[in-house]
Amino acid sequence: MAELNPGPRPAGDDAVLPFEVAPLDVRGRAIQMGPAIDALLARHTYPDAVSKLVAEAVVLAVLLGSSLKFDGKFILQTETDGPVDMLVADYRTSGEVRAYARFDAERVAAAEAAGKAGPGMLLGTGTLAMTIDQGVYTSRYQGVVPLEGQSLEEVAHTYFRQSEQIPTRVRLAVGEIHQRENGRMQRAWRAGGLIVQFLPAAPDRMRQPDLPGGDAPEGVEVDLPDEDDAWVEAQSLVGTVEDHELTDPAVPVERLLYRLFHERGVRVFTPVAIADNCSCSRERVAGLLSRFTQDEIDDSIEDGRIVVTCEFCGTHYDFDPAEFADAEPEDGPN
Ligand SMILES: [Zn+2]
């Protein structure tokens, strides 16, 4: 069982590869992002530390959102008190992603100068919400976990432990490569990640030790229930994944999965292509403006025009205010 089945085709860059390690009752998904993450970040002028954080959020949204079995949207959003006070990444089940960060440039620069610009430090304290949206006719599902200076990787573990109770390990990494393009050296962002989940047929094998309580005196060993051997093995294998293996174009995801799981036998499924694509449109923005009151319309006019900029992709939508003059608000209170 040392063979990795060839799969329909190599996933390549910008495609999520679902996989299964049946002898360990483990399922997961892996991705390496190249041109899509580079293009997404290139549309913004974020400081490097913020770009890194946004890329991590995109990879996490892709890894989590690509498990949805229906048409919809997975939205990951943080609201915190750190230099990056809001971070949004959303994944549509069509494979399209978009993301943006709101941040205080001075605080980010200070954090970078102090060497304290790691993802967890940039976010600070607040919450991470994960929303599954299946469209207007269904209710939204939302899970919220506290963020207290951890990385997105760590907060994902907290989420799965508390909300889903599925033993889960997530790895995220972001890096840059230098490549020659049109005779010049260019920087390009890359990102990658891996999620593994322990899903045995017998649910009692999924037991996880509770987090050590606060009552135990320091230095006293707390007796924790043992984790299942298969899950212990899977976690220790995932623990060997180096950041560069997740972003290096010379290490395709199939090769990484083979390195990790070849002794047990890993099976890969059809990859799902990911595209950097915003869902905004002129019609949508106009629809939004048409629900504004006349006062709100008046407040939005600058130099005789209303210009709305999409925060996700930077597209400017330019309107003549007359289009919305005296319009009755469609869903307004009256
Ligand atoms: Zn947009």
Side-chain angles (χ1 to χ4, degrees):
M1 272 294 276
E3 282 286 296
L4 176 71
N5 70 323
R9 61 185 161 88
D13 279 345
D14 302 324
V16 201
L17 185 66
F19 64 90
E20 179 182 56
V21 187
L24 295 178
D25 290 304
V26 158
R27 271 181 257 160
R29 290 174 298 286
I31 186 168
Q32 195 169 126
M33 297 190 73
I37 197 68
D38 191 54
L40 187 151
L41 294 172
R43 251 184 275 106
H44 301 278
T45 46
Y46 295 150
D48 282 357
V50 176
S51 289
K52 260 185 116 158
L53 184 57
V54 170
E56 280 196 4
V58 168
V59 173
L60 184 57
V62 168
L63 290 174
L64 300 182
S66 57
S67 72
L68 300 182
K69 301 281 182 266
F70 47 80
D71 288 342
K73 193 154 94 167
F74 176 87
I75 307 152
L76 190 148
Q77 176 165 358
T78 64
E79 275 186 55
T80 52
D81 63 2
V84 177
D85 69 347
M86 188 158 109
L87 180 62
V88 188
D90 65 45
Y91 171 85
R92 278 160 283 150
T93 47
S94 51
E96 291 158 294
V97 284
R98 62 179 195 169
Y100 84 93
R102 192 175 68 194
F103 61 96
D104 180 326
E106 274 178 32
R107 288 181 68 194
V108 170
E112 281 184 313
K116 290 182 178 167
M121 289 181 267
L122 284 186
L123 290 169
T125 300
T127 54
L128 171 81
M130 307 204 216
T131 307
I132 294 169
D133 189 346
Q134 289 190 70
V136 278
Y137 301 111
T138 51
S139 56
R140 295 173 131 214
Y141 164 81
Q142 193 172 59
V144 180
V145 274
L147 248 171
E148 284 154 357
Q150 324 90 309
S151 64
L152 290 177
E153 209 173 87
E154 289 165 327
V155 82
H157 295 154
T158 310
Y159 170 77
F160 279 101
R161 181 186 286 275
Q162 289 178 355
S163 304
E164 307 272 325
Q165 290 166 357
I166 300 171
T168 301
R169 272 277 156 295
V170 174
R171 285 288 282 110
L172 304 170
V174 181
E176 269 188 295
I177 52 163
H178 294 84
Q179 54 192 9
R180 191 167 289 282
E181 230 172 74
N182 306 322
R184 266 207 246 152
M185 285 306 272
Q186 304 274 2
R187 293 164 67 190
W189 286 102
R190 295 187 65 81
L194 174 77
I195 183 170
V196 293
Q197 300 196 292
F198 183 48
L199 298 159
D204 63 301
R205 289 180 57 207
M206 287 166 74
R207 68 190 181 274
Q208 295 178 91
D210 287 328
L211 292 171
D215 322 336
E218 217 170 300
V220 171
E221 284 287 311
V222 184
D223 210 13
L224 300 171
D226 292 333
E227 286 184 300
D228 192 277
D229 288 346
W231 180 235
V232 169
E233 181 179 334
Q235 286 181 90
S236 74
L237 291 171
V238 171
T240 68
V241 176
E242 307 264 358
D243 280 4
H244 70 85
E245 290 181 288
L246 292 167
T247 58
D248 186 346
V251 187
V253 279
E254 289 87 352
R255 190 191 291 185
L256 175 62
L257 294 177
Y258 180 79
R259 178 179 85 61
L260 294 176
F261 300 116
H262 67 96
E263 282 180 13
R264 292 297 191 168
V266 52
R267 188 170 165 221
V268 296
F269 302 95
T270 309
V272 178
I274 301 301
D276 150 53
N277 212 345
C278 195
S279 53
C280 68
S281 69
R282 190 173 177 82
E283 293 68 38
R284 256 177 219 226
V285 177
L288 216 75
L289 290 171
S290 70
R291 291 194 283 277
F292 274 29
T293 62
Q294 189 59 52
D295 281 349
E296 288 171 325
I297 286 291
D298 292 343
D299 287 346
S300 309
I301 300 172
E302 251 177 70
D303 297 328
R305 307 289 296 176
I306 298 177
V307 178
V308 178
T309 303
C310 174
E311 291 182 278
F312 285 96
C313 68
T315 303
H316 301 293
Y317 295 99
D318 187 331
F319 297 93
D320 180 347
E323 278 185 55
F324 309 102
D326 305 311
E328 287 295 317
E330 278 172 30
D331 302 325
N334 49 338

